């Protein structure tokens, strides 16, 4: 019965035109707030997925490093056991060090990553090669694959190399750092490919042959900087289970990190940003709540005689309160449903037709990425419901407790 009264109060024309105006302002504000939340959160989800995808293409599913120091020791027997462990698809060994790359008068500091033949099996770096190919050569004839930012900084021409670049790596046997030739080992290398993932990687990393890197760094046969692993896990729980198994196999001298743990600060910041965006946009709904309070308060004043009649025929305070609470929920439902429907159409159109483009042309995609998540819809609907109840409570409570006369 209370919903019937609420529906009649909602759709009927009010004697005071201001009540109609404020009611529709409330509905519009709730609709705008709901649409803004869905659209912005969906765009954020799209960018989040894009960034995670780029990091997923560069970082392996899991990484083994030493608990202490920069060098991890992995014997052939340990590597063989890892390769046979259930859930492990591929294992790639890596030797990494900071270095100086010089090409004529141009030079830049880089991180050199010596990789083996299995490296392209543990990540998707191959699909980000924009010039040349992923060819790191061999121990005797090392070649390098460089980031697009490094290519620009050193003026290396991949397709038409004029001369080999020079790579300077720290000499661990050096006793004096005042002499450049003694402090560093140098070698002329040919650049065979350029990759472009994102600026953080493109300006920092180059890849070469692991045998060459171990030779330049005087590393022993069983010494590496890390082992990167491709897992066959399909969920976070499976990944954690496999990582625990690896940890038991290797022991406490090794640290095993998942892709999330390797970039924990990034993922934490992204989650915080999403909650901050949600909190800021929810202010629109709070503004709508004040309009709703005004609309319901004026509706209560207009329906004084109706309330008096209802009480005269036996309606109690709770029934009266529920009627006006229901009116508030109807206002929120109409506004929220309209906003969510509009947002869904806009997001679908962006996914399908790429209507809104990103300016500049320097990003990895040329349009705003969008991903609708049902959890966002649940969160927005819940927020609208809570705001509607909170905004409707005071006018509804006032209506239930006030005493009105038919003669007034």
């Amino acid at each position: 019965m209370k919903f019937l009264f609420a529906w009649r109060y909602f759709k009927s024309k009010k004697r005071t035109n201001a009540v109609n105006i404020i009611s529709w302002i409330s509905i519009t504000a709730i609709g705008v707030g709901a649409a803004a939340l869905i659209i912005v959160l969906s765009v954020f989800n799209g960018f989040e997925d894009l960034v995670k995808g780029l990091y997923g293409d560069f970082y392996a599913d899991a990484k083994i490093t030493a608990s202490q120091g920069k060098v991890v020791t992995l014997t052939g027997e340990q590597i063989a056991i890892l390769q046979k462990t259930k859930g492990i698809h591929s294992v790639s060994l890596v030797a990494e060090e900071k270095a100086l790359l010089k090409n004529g008068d141009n030079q830049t500091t880089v991180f050199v990553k010596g990789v083996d033949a299995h490296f392209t099996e543990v990540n998707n770096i191959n699909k980000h090669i924009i010039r040349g190919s992923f060819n790191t050569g061999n121990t005797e004839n090392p070649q390098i694959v460089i980031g697009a930012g490094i290519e620009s900084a050193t003026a290396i021409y991949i397709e038409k190399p004029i001369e080999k670049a020079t790579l300077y790596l720290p000499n661990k046997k050096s006793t004096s750092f005042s002499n450049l030739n003694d402090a560093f080992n140098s070698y002329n290398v040919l650049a065979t490919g350029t990759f472009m993932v994102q600026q953080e990687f493109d300006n920092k990393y180059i890849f070469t042959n692991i045998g060459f890197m171990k030779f330049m760094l005087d590393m022993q046969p069983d010494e590496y900087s890390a082992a990167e692993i491709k897992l066959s896990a399909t969920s976070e729980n499976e990944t954690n289970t496999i990582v625990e198994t690896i940890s038991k196999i290797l022991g406490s001298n090794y640290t095993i990190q998942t892709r999330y743990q390797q970039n924990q600060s990034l993922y934490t910041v992204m989650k915080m940003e999403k909650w901050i965006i949600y909190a800021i946009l929810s202010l629109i709904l709070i503004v709508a709540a004040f309009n709703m309070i005004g609309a319901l308060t004026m509706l209560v004043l207009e329906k004084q005689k109706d309330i008096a009649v209802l009480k005269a025929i036996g309606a109690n305070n709770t029934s009266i309160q529920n009627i006006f609470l229901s009116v508030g929920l109807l206002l929120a439902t109409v506004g929220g449903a309209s906003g969510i429907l509009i947002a869904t159409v806009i997001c679908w159109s962006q996914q399908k037709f790429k209507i809104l483009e990103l300016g500049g042309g320097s990003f990895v995609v040329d349009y705003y990425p969008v991903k609708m998540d049902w959890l966002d819809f649940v969160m927005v609907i819940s927020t609208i419901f809570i705001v509607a109840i909170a905004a409707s409570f005071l006018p509804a409570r006032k209506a239930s407790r006030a005493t009105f006369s038919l003669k007034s």
Side-chain angles (χ1 to χ4, degrees):
M1 184 63 70
K2 62 179 179 292
F3 290 109
L4 178 61
F5 276 101
W7 175 248
R8 289 178 66 86
Y9 286 165
F10 171 75
K11 71 175 185 175
S12 62
K13 187 175 181 180
K14 317 305 187 290
R15 289 193 300 271
T16 306
N17 197 42
V19 180
N20 293 315
I21 295 172
I22 296 175
S23 296
W24 282 107
I25 289 174
S26 302
I27 291 171
T28 303
I30 291 171
V32 170
L37 277 167
I38 294 296
I39 292 171
V40 174
L41 291 176
S42 296
V43 171
F44 185 88
N45 292 337
F47 276 110
E48 185 179 29
D49 262 20
L50 179 64
V51 172
K52 284 182 177 179
L54 293 175
Y55 272 72
D57 287 344
F58 192 86
Y59 287 97
D61 294 333
K63 184 178 182 179
I64 301 171
T65 56
S67 296
Q68 294 182 346
K70 295 173 62 177
V71 177
V72 61
T73 301
L74 288 168
T75 64
E77 183 181 357
Q78 287 175 311
I79 295 169
I81 292 172
L82 287 174
Q83 290 171 336
K84 294 177 182 178
T85 301
K86 184 180 179 181
I88 293 180
H89 182 271
S90 300
V91 179
S92 176
L93 301 168
V94 174
E96 186 175 340
E97 186 56 81
K98 195 173 183 179
L100 178 71
L101 182 64
K102 188 175 181 182
N103 181 42
D105 296 331
N106 302 298
Q107 63 183 39
T108 186
T109 303
V110 297
F111 279 83
V112 187
K113 204 167 184 177
V115 299
D116 62 13
H118 299 288
F119 184 70
T120 53
E121 297 174 11
V122 301
N123 57 46
N124 295 318
I125 191 67
N126 251 337
K127 76 177 188 180
H128 294 282
I129 299 296
I130 58 172
R131 277 180 288 278
S133 61
F134 193 90
N135 183 3
T136 58
N138 52 47
T139 305
E140 292 75 26
N141 184 27
Q143 297 174 342
I144 58 173
V145 179
I146 63 178
I150 295 171
E151 179 187 44
S152 177
T154 56
I156 294 175
Y157 299 99
I158 299 297
E159 295 171 339
K160 293 181 180 180
I162 299 173
E163 59 183 14
K164 289 185 176 182
T166 305
L167 190 64
Y168 293 89
L169 287 154
N171 181 4
K172 293 185 177 181
K173 295 180 179 179
S174 175
T175 56
S176 172
F177 291 96
S178 58
N179 187 345
L180 183 65
N181 294 327
D182 186 48
F184 292 90
N185 292 321
S186 63
Y187 204 93
N188 293 331
V189 289
L190 179 68
T192 58
T194 303
F195 67 88
M196 186 167 67
V197 181
Q198 62 163 304
Q199 195 172 31
E200 180 183 348
F201 306 133
D202 302 342
N203 294 345
K204 182 177 179 181
Y205 283 99
I206 70 173
F207 299 101
T208 189
N209 181 268
I210 189 172
F212 163 70
M213 275 295 289
K214 292 185 69 173
F215 170 74
M216 294 291 284
L217 297 175
D218 295 309
M219 298 177 77
Q220 298 302 311
D222 293 339
E223 291 182 343
Y224 306 93
S225 297
E228 298 187 358
I229 301 173
K230 172 73 173 178
L231 304 178
S232 56
T234 57
S235 67
E236 187 176 345
N237 288 335
E238 283 186 42
T239 298
N240 293 333
T241 301
I242 298 170
V243 166
E244 288 176 8
T245 302
I246 297 171
S247 183
K248 290 177 182 177
I249 292 172
L250 296 178
S252 59
N253 292 330
Y254 301 84
T255 298
I256 300 94
Q257 294 178 307
T258 62
R259 184 183 295 131
Y260 171 79
Q261 290 168 334
Q262 293 174 61
N263 303 281
Q264 191 167 5
S265 58
L266 170 73
Y267 293 140
T268 301
V269 168
M270 291 178 74
K271 285 183 178 179
M272 286 179 62
E273 285 178 343
K274 185 171 183 177
W275 282 110
I276 291 170
I277 290 170
Y278 165 74
I280 292 172
L281 292 178
S282 293
L283 293 175
I284 300 175
L285 296 178
I286 294 173
V287 171
F290 286 105
N291 288 322
M292 191 183 296
I293 291 171
L296 290 175
T297 300
M298 293 183 71
L299 181 63
V300 169
L301 295 175
E302 186 175 286
K303 300 300 181 182
Q304 292 180 24
K305 290 185 178 181
D306 289 23
I307 295 170
V309 170
L310 288 171
K311 286 190 174 182
I313 62 176
N316 55 29
N317 288 348
T318 303
S319 299
I320 301 298
Q321 179 174 300
N322 288 338
I323 288 172
F324 287 94
L325 280 174
S326 299
V327 175
L329 288 174
L330 275 172
L331 290 172
T333 300
V334 172
S338 302
I340 290 172
L341 179 60
I342 292 170
T344 303
V345 171
I346 291 173
C347 290
W348 178 84
S349 300
Q350 179 65 12
Q351 287 177 329
K352 190 76 173 176
F353 305 109
K354 316 291 188 295
I355 298 169
L356 294 177
E357 297 182 352
L358 284 167
S362 60
F363 202 56
V364 291
V365 293
D366 55 4
Y367 60 91
Y368 282 93
V370 172
K371 179 190 175 185
M372 288 183 283
D373 188 340
W374 68 271
L375 287 174
D376 291 338
F377 284 82
V378 172
M379 184 167 63
V380 171
I381 291 170
S382 301
T383 304
I384 292 171
F385 180 79
I386 292 169
V387 168
I389 291 293
S392 306
F393 181 76
L394 287 176
R397 188 167 178 266
K398 181 179 179 181
S400 67
R401 295 195 173 188
T403 301
F404 299 115
S405 172
L406 289 173
K407 294 181 180 180
S408 60

